[in-house]
Amino acid sequence: DGLAAIPRLWGTTVDAQTDRPEALAIRQSFLADAMLVAIAAPPVTVTQGGSNGDSPHRFHLVLPDQGHGTYHWAHGTVTQRPEDIVLVDITEPSQLVSTVDSRLIRLSFPEEYIAPYLPSRYARAVLHLPAREGLMKVIAQHARALACEADRLDRVAQHALLAHLCGLLGLAIETETSSRPARQRHRSFQRQRVLTYIETHLRDPDCTAKRAAHDLGMS
């Protein structure tokens, strides 16, 4: 049905439709407050109906190694290819249509990790960050390494690495969505890194300015 199926399915939180459910494989692990899922999927249509308010506001980072899919939401459409990253706001209705076999990782994390980096008046269910050499390749490799090593990390390291990943995403978002000069974008990015670090360590009694500076690589 393509787009015609979206309104009918928005009433549910998640709806997945495939002709080969036996080919769907999911491996789950955790990284601090985030959930990591490695997925091998046949052609599938996944409709996200929007959060019903029972769970915290979360975002999904989706990074495919194989396959491609098209996201549809109320105000746009975008196609994601291997190495592209998309951020999906799960409180907003959206639909992913993939017509080929795919392999991907999905990282689901609380809004507070990424909120400081989102553009003002952000109103998109899906934020698309196209694959590029340089920063995007670093982010993709970082996300894959976390997916492989999450179970071997202690919780302090998990929190720090998740915050660092979102900091890198923030720089990519600034680059993709801002028309400001590079120096101003970097200054804004550094400020938001500090704010995100503070927000994610508010309950840590050992969090000090000295420790924050060390963890963030600042004076």
Side-chain angles (χ1 to χ4, degrees), residues 112-143:
E112 58 262 27
Y113 280 94
I114 198 66
Y117 303 112
L118 295 175
S120 59
R121 298 175 184 170
Y122 177 77
R124 282 188 283 177
V126 177
L127 179 60
H128 180 227
L129 301 173
R132 292 193 179 95
E133 295 295 322
L135 178 60
M136 289 303 298
K137 187 172 286 293
V138 169
I139 295 173
Q141 291 174 348
H142 190 9

Side-chain angles (χ1 to χ4, degrees), residues 85-97:
I85 287 175
V86 299
L87 289 174
V88 181
D89 183 345
I90 68 167
T91 65
E92 298 294 330
S94 64
Q95 185 180 66
L96 167 65
V97 179

